[in-house]
Amino acid sequence: MIDVRRGADRYEGGDPAAGITTRHAFSFGSFYDPDNLRFGPLLACNEETLAPGAGFDEHPHSHTEIVTWVAEGTLTHQDTTGEKGLVGPGDVQRLSAGSGVRHVERNDGDRPLRFVQIWLAPLAAGGTPLYDVAGGTADGTPYEVPGAGAVLHVRRPGAGERVAVPDAERVYLHVVRGDLRLDGEELGPGDSARITAETGLQVVAGSPGELLLLELP
């Protein structure tokens, strides 16, 4: 089954007056839809835009695997385990919240920051918080999220190129940029597809693009 969701239908959140714009793919905070709570272990896929100087002050997380992909700009991260990081385009950041951690996320740069943040339920609750950054992720390089039993694939096809969708029990596809086609459906930036028990699927790029493919148990 392929369930296509349009970027224009995302829940709008954040705090625009503070320079924060958020678009939620799933129920989040006050945006509640009982029919759109999660996709397998995937709890959230947020498109975030932070103006220069804007950010999220220190706040807590627990029992969540948080994966961040920066599309434009540089994200500043700092958490209560002492970890600090600067995350730019092409970098994958992972924060395994474990039994509890607090962190800060900011745009300390001089241009807008745009990133996609994914929240996953862990296979087992608790544990020690863990922070990791994989710099300069090459096209097609898998990034494992072992705490959730998931694998992220970042693909950057050129115009006319085909990308194979992993043959997994569940795959979540998110378009970062470009015009793509999946099983006859045209997809653009912000669009996504929830794919269940499908094999042999391919994405065709109509223009140079960037997409995230998340294999889920």
Side-chain angles (χ1 to χ4, degrees):
M1 183 175 71
I2 302 174
D3 180 8
V4 172
R5 305 289 179 110
R6 299 300 176 184
D9 295 329
R10 286 172 172 260
Y11 306 114
E12 295 189 7
D15 184 355
I20 302 171
T21 301
T22 305
R23 296 177 64 82
H24 302 288
F26 295 87
S27 293
F28 197 99
S30 61
F31 299 100
Y32 178 72
D33 178 352
D35 296 322
N36 189 26
L37 298 178
R38 61 194 294 168
F39 179 57
L42 179 59
L43 305 173
C45 180
N46 301 336
E47 293 184 318
E48 306 279 4
T49 302
L50 304 183
F56 300 100
D57 294 332
E58 186 175 291
H59 58 280
H61 290 283
S62 62
H63 315 300
T64 312
E65 298 288 317
I66 303 171
V67 179
T68 304
W69 173 259
V70 174
E72 300 172 13
T74 302
L75 173 67
T76 299
H77 165 95
Q78 184 172 348
D79 64 46
T80 49
T81 71
E83 293 284 359
K84 299 180 181 180
L86 293 176
V87 188
D91 300 340
V92 178
Q93 174 184 269
R94 174 168 57 94
L95 177 63
S96 297
S99 58
V101 67
R102 301 178 67 88
H103 75 153
V104 176
E105 296 169 296
R106 296 195 54 81
N107 177 9
D108 291 327
D110 58 3
R111 61 192 182 100
L113 164 66
R114 186 167 68 91
F115 62 94
V116 179
Q117 190 164 91
I118 294 165
W119 294 14
L120 297 157
L123 296 173
T128 302
L130 174 68
Y131 178 74
D132 178 62
V133 175
T137 304
D139 177 53
T141 302
Y143 181 84
E144 295 190 9
V145 188
V151 181
L152 175 66
H153 303 265
V154 180
R155 300 305 310 267
R156 304 182 188 91
E161 289 187 16
R162 295 176 177 268
V163 172
V165 175
D167 292 340
E169 177 62 26
R170 298 182 184 90
V171 176
Y172 186 82
L173 182 156
H174 174 84
V175 182
V176 179
R177 54 172 59 89
D179 299 307
L180 310 171
R181 186 182 304 109
L182 172 68
D183 197 40
E185 290 276 1
E186 301 290 337
L187 304 177
D191 291 347
S192 63
R194 306 173 192 190
I195 303 166
T196 306
E198 294 280 350
T199 60
L201 288 178
Q202 291 188 327
V203 176
V204 182
S207 63
E210 184 172 273
L211 67 151
L212 307 179
L213 291 164
L214 186 64
E215 287 187 62
L216 301 167

